[in-house]
Amino acid sequence: MRRKGEKGEGKMGGLIFLVLVAALALAAWNVAPAYIQYYDFKDKVNEICRTPKYKVKNGDEGIMELLMKEVAERRMTEWVGPESFTISTTDTSRQIRLYYEREVEVLPGWKKTLKFETLADQPLI
């Protein structure tokens, strides 16, 4: 016996919704590590920016060495190099500007270039 309220409609819509949710989850899985690594590195750049002058031997060159050491430890050398940083130190403060681009594969066959930029401006104690 067939019920009047059941027509079998809506199954295709549910399947399409499931595919869209799966694609969104895959895209987030591929893109999230780049953003997490950026924000973690941004915190480290701020920390290095606060380094007092007496702890750094060669001034801005010493700061660049600290930054590049962190880049190597985080395996970011493919995207970040010495040209990615601009360092400016005065008597009372230090600024480090960071800019780099990173290409990620959002979904199979779809790549996107993400641009990351930050300015760390910290007082020197």
Side-chain angles (χ1 to χ4, degrees), residues 41 68 71 76-85 98 100-101:
F41 186 59
M68 291 311 297
V71 167
M76 296 174 68
T77 54
E78 184 178 343
W79 310 288
V80 181
E83 68 282 352
S84 301
F85 297 101
L98 167 65
Y100 70 96
E101 296 179 357

Side-chain angles (χ1 to χ4, degrees), residues 31-93:
V31 173
Y35 280 99
I36 291 169
Q37 189 174 40
Y38 163 70
Y39 285 113
D40 187 43
F41 186 59
K42 179 180 171 181
D43 289 342
K44 191 62 177 181
V45 169
N46 272 320
E47 183 181 322
I48 291 172
C49 190
R50 284 191 297 268
T51 304
K53 286 183 178 181
Y54 66 87
K55 287 191 175 183
V56 181
K57 294 180 182 178
N58 299 330
D60 288 350
E61 292 84 20
I63 294 295
M64 182 63 77
E65 289 173 11
L66 290 172
L67 290 167
M68 291 311 297
K69 180 182 172 190
E70 282 299 320
V71 167
E73 286 178 6
R74 294 166 190 270
R75 298 182 185 134
M76 296 174 68
T77 54
E78 184 178 343
W79 310 288
V80 181
E83 68 282 352
S84 301
F85 297 101
T86 305
I87 303 169
S88 174
T89 304
T90 64
D91 290 337
T92 59
S93 68

Side-chain angles (χ1 to χ4, degrees), residues 101-119:
E101 296 179 357
R102 179 175 176 173
E103 187 176 76
V104 295
E105 187 172 24
V106 179
L107 293 172
W110 179 30
K111 293 184 178 182
K112 175 124 174 93
T113 301
L114 304 175
K115 298 176 182 180
F116 298 104
E117 183 174 12
T118 187
L119 174 66

